[in-house]
Structures are given as structure tokens and as C-alpha cells.
Amino acid sequence: MAQLGEADLKDLLERLKTAQRDLLLTAASGTTLPSDGAIRKISDLEGAIAATEALLQEEKKRR
């Protein structure tokens, strides 16, 4: 696997945050609770965001 650069990780992080934000705004605009699938996806994205942020921090420490 090719090594990702910091810019690649930052781009991924922004895409993940945008996807999560869009899901949250869609859920907020509804009148009922979001579906279990939507809640799960929001949660999954949170985990991916945290993992990406942690990897970015690791990469910064390596320098």
C-alpha cells in the first residue's frame, strides 16, 4: 500500500466530516428520530474521523 501524505489524510478527514455533517443535518430536519441505519452511519463516521485524526497526529510526531 502506498504511503499517504498529510494532505491526503486531511482531505479524507474533511470528506468524512462533511458526510457526517450532512447526515446530522438531514436527521435534524426530520420530525421523527433518525433510522437506526442513519444513527449507525453517523457513529461509524465518528470512529473514522477519530482514527484519521489520530493517524494525522502520529504522522506529525514522526517529523
Side-chain angles (χ1 to χ4, degrees), residues 21-53:
R21 182 179 187 276
D22 291 346
L23 282 171
L24 284 165
L25 290 173
T26 299
S29 68
T31 58
T32 61
L33 287 175
S35 69
D36 289 347
I39 292 171
R40 190 173 306 112
K41 185 67 175 179
I42 291 166
S43 176
D44 289 347
L45 285 165
E46 187 64 27
I49 289 167
T52 304
E53 288 173 336

Side-chain angles (χ1 to χ4, degrees), residues 3-63:
Q3 193 171 16
L4 292 177
E6 186 175 337
D8 295 323
L9 290 170
K10 285 182 178 181
D11 288 344
L12 173 60
L13 183 59
E14 286 309 309
R15 289 193 311 270
L16 291 168
K17 286 181 176 182
T18 297
Q20 186 186 48
R21 182 179 187 276
D22 291 346
L23 282 171
L24 284 165
L25 290 173
T26 299
S29 68
T31 58
T32 61
L33 287 175
S35 69
D36 289 347
I39 292 171
R40 190 173 306 112
K41 185 67 175 179
I42 291 166
S43 176
D44 289 347
L45 285 165
E46 187 64 27
I49 289 167
T52 304
E53 288 173 336
L55 185 54
L56 271 168
Q57 289 300 319
E58 287 178 22
E59 290 299 314
K60 286 180 183 179
K61 288 179 183 177
R62 285 185 174 184
R63 293 183 183 170

